[in-house]
Amino acid sequence: MNSPHATQIQLHINGQPHQVQGPCTVAAALAQAGVQATRRSATGQPRAAFCGMGVCQECRVSIDGIAQRLACLTPAREGMRIEVAA
């Protein structure tokens, strides 16, 4: 359902442009873009946002060149560059 305050945000995920509906978090933007995992565990298992409040830290990504950012706590914004390691 579209909110009357929804806007389209263009961001880049692993170098590819994506349009997502905002306002939202980076984790929600990744989900809208079809990204199912944000990183791999030490044993190679795919990991993604689980708790949605920064406790589990499974949603760590690089944002605008800064590593280990929590996607679930970071608001998505126009032009953002997100790198996922999955």
Side-chain angles (χ1 to χ4, degrees), residues 1-8 20-23 32:
M1 179 173 163
N2 288 340
S3 163
H5 303 289
T7 59
Q8 290 293 309
V20 299
Q21 185 174 319
Q32 287 183 56

Side-chain angles (χ1 to χ4, degrees), residues 10-18 30 62 77 79-83:
Q10 180 165 329
L11 40 75
H12 291 81
I13 302 169
N14 290 345
Q16 298 298 311
H18 290 273
L30 291 169
S62 290
R77 60 177 164 62
M80 185 175 267
R81 296 194 173 275
I82 303 161
E83 297 291 326

Side-chain angles (χ1 to χ4, degrees), residues 4-5 20 28 37-38 45 65-66 68-69 71 74 76 79 82:
H5 303 289
V20 299
T38 55
Q45 298 298 311
I66 302 171
Q68 307 299 321
R69 300 283 307 272
T74 306
I82 303 161

